[in-house]
């Protein structure tokens, strides 16, 4: 088998050379309760940048260990089983899937998948019908205070990414009357409007973002789904309404810096936030485990009905996962970044 190990962890911009592909062996036999799986798809996500530091800045994330196999969201198929509830041919997933082509795993830590729920697109269980979709849906529901008929305007930063592209659509499905995305290329902006139903999109690398926001959100911003932090977020917050809400999903612009999470706002922006009573509470999807099952079913229903459009950027081969991670961290993906390990 081949596995992918982390060989360098430090503050700074991650590069593919931080990882190493090795060839190794696994046991010939499995123990009671275990399964041998073939890896089909792996996920690379912004939160993994935090796992490259000895201090992840989070009490729920463990750092990757140097010269050990990295892990994250994965989907695979059972090739051998000594677990009562898993049979050969079952598709399974885990949030701590090792970056290996083949693995022996504890069957009790795996979740069995039903491919029909996502029209056979198994990789969706790592994105739109997985932790990414849950983050978008529960973020909007738990922290966005969206109400049908309230004529609310939502702005999404990192809008063409895995979470942002779903969050904007979900904001509309939940009742927002206007949804505006912020992304980094004209292509991304076009996809948001033409494919995903955003009312408008701003390329933050072109023109004046504050002016474009004022033009596109004349009534101000009621809900802000924040994936990026930094200057873009400061600009959006300055145009938010009284008693509005920030869904603090991610701060990708800050992940390569040695700052606490969530990063403090500049004094002038924090003053605005307080004066306008804008909520900005840390959001962690793992705190809502009791709502995961029903929420996944809702996501799958929207996917089946064509109400939730899903984009993926797929890289082939475990050997390219480091490059895929680096590309995703610099905005090279549209939608969910997936690594296809084997067919």
């Amino acid at each position: 088998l081949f596995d992918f190990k982390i060989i360098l962890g430090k503050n700074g911009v991650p590069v593919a050379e931080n990882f190493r592909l090795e060839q190794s062996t696994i046991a010939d036999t499995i123990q009671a309760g275990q399964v041998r799986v073939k890896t089909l798809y792996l996920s690379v996500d912004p939160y993994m940048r935090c796992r490259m530091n000895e201090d992840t800045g989070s009490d729920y994330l463990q750092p990757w260990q140097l010269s050990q196999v990295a892990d994250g969201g994965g989907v695979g198929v059972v090739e051998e089983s000594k677990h009562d509830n898993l049979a050969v041919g079952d598709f399974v997933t885990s949030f701590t899937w090792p970056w290996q082509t083949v693995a022996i795993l504890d069957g009790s830590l795996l979740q069995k998948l039903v491919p029909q729920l996502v029209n056979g697109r198994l990789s969706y269980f790592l994105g739109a019908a997985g932790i990414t979709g849950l983050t978008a849906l529960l973020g909007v529901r738990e922290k966005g205070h969206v109400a049908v008929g309230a004529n609310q305007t939502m702005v999404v930063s990192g809008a063409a990414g895995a979470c942002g592209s779903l969050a904007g659509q979900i904001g509309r499905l939940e009742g927002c009357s206007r949804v505006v995305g912020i992304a980094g290329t004209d292509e991304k902006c076009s996809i948001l409007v033409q494919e995903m139903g955003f009312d408008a999109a701003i390329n933050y690398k072109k023109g004046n973002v504050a002016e474009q926001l004022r033009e596109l959100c004349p009534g101000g911003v009621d809900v802000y789904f924040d994936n990026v932090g930094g200057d873009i977020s400061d600009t959006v917050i300055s145009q938010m309404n009284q008693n509005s809400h920030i869904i603090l999903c991610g701060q990708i612009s800050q992940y390569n810096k040695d700052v606490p999470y969530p990063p403090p706002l500049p004094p002038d922006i924090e003053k605005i936030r307080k004066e306008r009573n804008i909520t900005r509470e840390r959001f962690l999807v793992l705190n809502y485990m009791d709502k995961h099952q029903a929420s996944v079913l809702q996501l799958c229903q929207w996917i089946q009905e064509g109400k939730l459009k899903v984009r993926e950027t797929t890289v082939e081969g475990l050997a390219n996962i480091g490059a895929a991670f680096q590309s995703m961290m610099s905005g090279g993906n549209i939608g969910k970044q997936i690594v296809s390990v084997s067919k």
Side-chain angles (χ1 to χ4, degrees), residues 169-249:
Q169 296 179 75
I170 290 168
R172 171 63 51 71
L173 289 166
E174 291 288 286
C176 285
S177 58
R178 185 163 183 77
V179 179
V180 175
I182 302 175
T185 69
D186 289 344
E187 180 192 12
K188 290 178 178 180
C189 290
S190 176
I191 288 169
L192 290 173
V193 174
Q194 295 179 14
E195 282 188 27
M196 299 184 172
F198 284 60
D199 293 285
I202 296 169
N203 181 347
Y204 71 87
K205 295 180 181 177
K206 285 186 174 180
N208 186 302
V209 175
E211 288 180 4
Q212 293 177 78
L213 263 181
R214 275 190 289 273
E215 181 181 325
L216 295 172
C217 307
V221 179
D222 302 294
V223 184
Y224 173 39
F225 199 100
D226 185 5
N227 285 304
V228 302
D231 294 342
I232 288 175
S233 289
D234 297 344
T235 302
V236 176
I237 294 168
S238 68
Q239 296 190 32
M240 293 185 74
N241 293 325
Q242 194 75 23
N243 302 319
S244 54
H245 304 282
I246 299 168
I247 303 166
L248 193 59
C249 178

Side-chain angles (χ1 to χ4, degrees), residues 123-143:
S123 56
Y124 283 13
F125 285 114
L126 297 176
I131 201 77
T132 311
L134 284 170
T135 301
L137 177 57
L138 290 170
V140 170
R141 287 184 171 175
E142 299 296 329
K143 299 294 185 182

Side-chain angles (χ1 to χ4, degrees), residues 5-20 48-56 63-68 255-256 325:
K5 293 180 177 176
I6 182 165
I7 60 171
L8 182 64
K10 62 180 182 180
N11 286 322
V13 178
V15 294
E17 288 74 27
N18 293 149
F19 302 92
R20 179 175 66 220
M48 292 174 172
R49 175 63 188 89
C50 304
R51 299 189 68 191
M52 296 180 76
N53 295 335
E54 288 183 15
D55 179 4
T56 65
W64 281 329
Q65 299 299 311
L66 295 180
S67 296
Q68 299 299 309
Y255 286 169
N256 295 326
F325 177 72

Side-chain angles (χ1 to χ4, degrees), residues 11-329:
N11 286 322
V13 178
V15 294
E17 288 74 27
N18 293 149
F19 302 92
R20 179 175 66 220
L21 182 68
E22 291 186 355
Q23 189 165 8
S24 55
T25 58
I26 57 173
D28 293 332
T29 58
I30 60 175
Q31 307 299 315
Q34 292 183 329
V35 295
R36 189 180 80 246
V37 294
K38 179 173 75 170
T39 304
L40 300 177
Y41 300 102
L42 294 171
S43 170
V44 290
D45 303 280
Y47 80 87
M48 292 174 172
R49 175 63 188 89
C50 304
R51 299 189 68 191
M52 296 180 76
N53 295 335
E54 288 183 15
D55 179 4
T56 65
S58 170
D59 51 11
Y60 74 94
L61 282 180
Q62 295 298 312
W64 281 329
Q65 299 299 311
L66 295 180
S67 296
Q68 299 299 309
V69 179
D71 68 309
V75 166
V77 61
V78 176
E79 293 189 319
E80 183 182 357
S81 176
K82 289 189 177 178
H83 189 277
D84 291 343
N85 296 327
L86 295 173
V88 173
D90 282 347
F91 295 105
V92 290
T93 188
S94 168
F95 194 56
T96 56
W97 195 285
W99 288 6
Q100 300 176 185
T101 53
V102 180
I104 294 175
L105 303 176
D106 181 346
S108 65
L109 302 179
L110 299 173
Q111 179 184 355
K112 188 159 32 173
L113 300 173
V114 181
Q116 295 88 334
L117 288 175
V118 289
N119 302 323
R121 298 292 297 271
L122 286 166
S123 56
Y124 283 13
F125 285 114
L126 297 176
I131 201 77
T132 311
L134 284 170
T135 301
L137 177 57
L138 290 170
V140 170
R141 287 184 171 175
E142 299 296 329
K143 299 294 185 182
H145 302 272
V146 174
V148 176
N151 197 31
Q152 291 162 299
T153 293
M154 172 188 273
V155 171
V156 183
S157 58
C163 202
S165 61
L166 300 172
Q169 296 179 75
I170 290 168
R172 171 63 51 71
L173 289 166
E174 291 288 286
C176 285
S177 58
R178 185 163 183 77
V179 179
V180 175
I182 302 175
T185 69
D186 289 344
E187 180 192 12
K188 290 178 178 180
C189 290
S190 176
I191 288 169
L192 290 173
V193 174
Q194 295 179 14
E195 282 188 27
M196 299 184 172
F198 284 60
D199 293 285
I202 296 169
N203 181 347
Y204 71 87
K205 295 180 181 177
K206 285 186 174 180
N208 186 302
V209 175
E211 288 180 4
Q212 293 177 78
L213 263 181
R214 275 190 289 273
E215 181 181 325
L216 295 172
C217 307
V221 179
D222 302 294
V223 184
Y224 173 39
F225 199 100
D226 185 5
N227 285 304
V228 302
D231 294 342
I232 288 175
S233 289
D234 297 344
T235 302
V236 176
I237 294 168
S238 68
Q239 296 190 32
M240 293 185 74
N241 293 325
Q242 194 75 23
N243 302 319
S244 54
H245 304 282
I246 299 168
I247 303 166
L248 193 59
C249 178
Q251 303 280 277
I252 194 169
S253 71
Q254 307 298 304
Y255 286 169
N256 295 326
K257 303 174 184 177
D258 188 14
V259 295
Y261 187 87
L265 296 171
D268 57 328
I269 303 299
E270 178 63 15
K271 185 170 182 282
I272 290 172
R273 190 196 68 77
K274 287 182 175 177
E275 287 175 350
R276 299 182 192 170
N277 192 35
I278 302 169
T279 63
R280 184 181 184 256
E281 301 162 344
R282 185 172 185 173
F283 171 70
L284 181 58
V285 71
L286 299 178
N287 289 342
Y288 302 92
M289 295 292 290
D290 59 318
K291 300 184 178 182
H292 281 199
Q293 187 173 6
S295 298
V296 168
L297 291 175
Q298 174 66 84
L299 292 162
C300 290
Q301 181 182 336
W302 282 336
I303 291 168
Q304 290 172 346
E305 293 172 349
K307 292 179 179 177
L308 197 59
K309 302 294 193 298
V310 182
R311 270 271 188 161
E312 292 180 328
T313 299
T314 302
V315 168
E316 300 286 338
L318 183 63
N320 295 315
I321 197 168
F325 177 72
Q326 180 184 8
S327 173
M328 176 272 306
M329 287 296 294

